[in-house]
Amino acid sequence: MIMKIAFSTSGKDLNALVCSRFGRADGFLIYDTDTDEYTVVENQQNVNAPQGAGIQAAQAVVKAGASALVTGHCGPKAFTVFAASSIRVYHSDEVPISEALQAWRRDALAEMHAAAVDGHWV
Amino acid sequence: MHIAIASGKGGTGKTTVAANLAALTEGDETVYVDCDVEAPNGHLFLKPELSFSETAGIPVPQVDPALCTGCGKCVEVCRFNALACVAGKLIVFAELCHGCGGCVPACPEKALTESSHAIGTVSRGMAGDLHFVQGTLRVGAAMSPPLIRAVKAKAPDAAVIIYDAPPGTSCPVITTLKGMDYVVLVTEPTPFCLNDLQLAVETVRTLGLPFGVVINRADVGDARVRDYCDAEDIPVLLTLPEDRRIAAAYSGGALIVDALPEYRASFMELLGKIRDGAGQREKGKAVRS
């Protein structure tokens, strides 16, 4: 059973919108489905990274203990990291995280099995 | 004598100037080096017969999974975000690696070794008496400086070596300009070209290299490029007019000095000014040492 879900976002709480960007999102809200509590992991070091933002953001999401990610788009290199760590990735539009969370609970979010966008380099 | 033809803005006539200069300097052993590895096009005009080609690569880390403990120390060291460590496993993104080698000594388990990751090819040949060297970046490879270094290393030593630089003022250009005796900046009299010329001048001045300007299609646009050169005391080495016949020759892959011999004298004069400019530097060096 999934215990922690990561949402890419520029906000700090459940009213904030899901951010369509993954690697260069401002941060990630990590929601614990067991306790219904959440924390926010900053992603500032990747917002202006010259390259590899998705890779490092994916690693940060893994380190935060998430086993699912809800985001807008996600590139091929981030997917490589998720594949190595068995994280499931779900697509959401830019709706409030609380709505995306409910949709995820209803199993109404589409799971992404491959990159939704091309990489920047290859 | 190492001469780079650079520009700031792309499409101003670097290759036109470089290829025509290279074709002119018969008598002296001459090399043309195409350092614009993302879009090498000097071959279209010089039509070399390429006899040698080799793959150029950068050293990227390779992990021995039996030794890697997943500690992530290499990931911390990598400023290019080319490494990730998840679930105790290291993932290497070779296409992001700059080949700096920093990760290898950072590994406490000695689990990393280096292997070569191909980024392009260097080819070499002759166009008549002219030595020709070019680099071609592999499609998808993001980083050209290591290939440009490999291209420069393959250029045979000669009396005159002409380097056709990439556009811009970033790392590929700096890599090309290192070790030059003189830099020619090719521009056009437009505001856009002036902006990029100023950036290029700043770059070349920072590198401490002697340089001058060629104004291509000099009778279009306005006088601001000329005024800027005058104000900054930058020598204008050559002006080429907006001549439809030059465009026609270019479109057919012909050199100006072949198709329109009346321009030979202009290019000879340019070469003479470059020699003088580079020579002054030699003298300066001698005085300083």
Side-chain angles (χ1 to χ4, degrees):
Chain A
M1 184 59 207
I2 284 173
M3 291 165 66
K4 283 182 180 173
I5 315 170
F7 296 85
S8 62
T9 182
S10 52
K12 307 273 182 220
D13 56 40
L14 297 177
N15 297 321
L17 301 181
V18 173
C19 180
S20 67
R21 305 198 299 175
F22 170 67
R24 292 173 200 276
D26 285 334
F28 302 100
L29 186 143
I30 313 289
Y31 189 88
D32 189 321
T33 57
D34 281 355
T35 62
D36 287 330
E37 287 171 352
Y38 58 83
T39 53
V40 173
V41 177
E42 295 284 338
N43 191 41
Q44 280 308 315
Q45 72 281 12
N46 289 322
V47 170
N48 293 316
Q51 61 174 24
I55 295 168
Q56 299 309 316
Q59 190 180 247
V61 166
V62 174
K63 274 195 184 151
S67 38
L69 166 73
V70 177
T71 187
H73 306 291
C74 185
K77 296 199 183 68
F79 247 96
T80 304
V81 175
F82 291 135
S85 50
S86 324
I87 286 192
R88 302 175 80 165
V89 184
Y90 298 88
H91 172 78
S92 169
D93 294 331
E94 292 193 349
V95 298
I97 291 173
S98 52
E99 277 181 36
L101 179 62
Q102 281 172 16
W104 177 81
R105 283 188 158 136
R106 290 197 311 272
D107 213 12
L109 293 184
E111 185 170 353
M112 295 193 271
H113 295 285
V117 288
D118 283 340
H120 301 300
W121 302 99
V122 178
Chain B
M1 181 170 59
H2 301 271
I3 309 164
I5 316 296
S7 71
K9 187 184 172 298
T12 57
K14 284 182 300 297
T15 299
T16 300
V17 171
N20 279 285
L21 271 183
L24 254 196
T25 49
E26 50 204 23
D28 271 331
E29 199 182 4
T30 305
V31 188
Y32 168 89
V33 187
D34 202 336
C35 292
D36 190 2
V37 299
E38 288 175 68
N41 63 344
H43 65 95
L44 296 174
F45 304 95
L46 295 167
K47 304 178 178 63
E49 268 185 47
L50 299 176
S51 55
F52 166 92
S53 180
E54 73 177 11
T55 303
I58 55 167
V60 301
Q62 211 170 14
V63 62
D64 182 344
L67 295 176
C68 177
T69 60
C71 73
K73 291 216 165 71
C74 54
V75 179
E76 287 167 31
V77 165
C78 182
R79 58 177 298 194
F80 304 108
N81 291 335
L83 299 171
C85 192
V86 289
K89 272 196 313 193
L90 183 68
I91 310 173
V92 179
F93 293 89
E95 60 274 39
L96 295 189
C97 175
H98 280 219
C100 76
C103 55
V104 175
C107 178
E109 310 300 329
K110 298 191 172 26
L112 295 176
T113 51
E114 288 181 332
S115 67
S116 184
H117 174 70
I119 58 165
T121 54
V122 180
S123 27
R124 206 166 74 180
M126 299 296 292
D129 292 338
L130 176 72
H131 295 269
F132 181 98
V133 189
Q134 74 173 9
T136 310
L137 194 65
R138 192 169 61 85
V139 172
M143 194 180 39
S144 62
L147 176 59
I148 294 171
R149 283 193 286 275
V151 169
K152 289 175 76 175
K154 274 283 176 278
D157 197 22
V160 180
I161 310 180
I162 295 169
Y163 300 81
D164 197 348
T169 50
S170 61
C171 296
V173 177
I174 310 282
T175 305
T176 304
L177 296 185
K178 270 188 188 155
M180 291 300 117
D181 297 310
Y182 198 86
V183 181
V184 176
L185 299 175
V186 184
T187 191
E188 290 179 357
T190 65
F192 194 172
C193 281
L194 175 59
N195 177 76
D196 287 9
L197 174 65
Q198 288 167 327
L199 297 173
V201 166
E202 217 176 296
T203 305
V204 177
R205 280 185 173 153
T206 303
L207 293 170
L209 299 172
F211 68 99
V213 164
V214 168
I215 306 180
N216 193 12
R217 302 173 67 213
D219 39 5
V220 303
D222 59 39
R224 277 180 279 181
V225 164
R226 192 80 206 208
D227 293 345
Y228 165 74
C229 290
D230 289 346
E232 291 284 322
D233 215 11
I234 297 166
V236 175
L237 309 166
L238 169 70
T239 57
L240 285 169
E242 165 89 333
D243 182 339
R244 196 174 193 283
R245 296 173 308 158
I246 292 180
Y250 175 91
S251 304
L255 292 165
I256 302 172
V257 292
D258 290 339
L260 303 164
E262 62 266 41
Y263 282 107
R264 285 185 82 91
S266 305
F267 281 100
M268 288 302 291
E269 200 184 323
L270 170 62
L271 187 63
K273 287 177 180 170
I274 293 169
R275 278 186 204 280
D276 290 348
Q280 274 170 13
R281 181 170 195 239
E282 285 304 308
K283 268 189 264 164
K285 263 190 203 164
V287 169
R288 278 197 299 276
S289 58

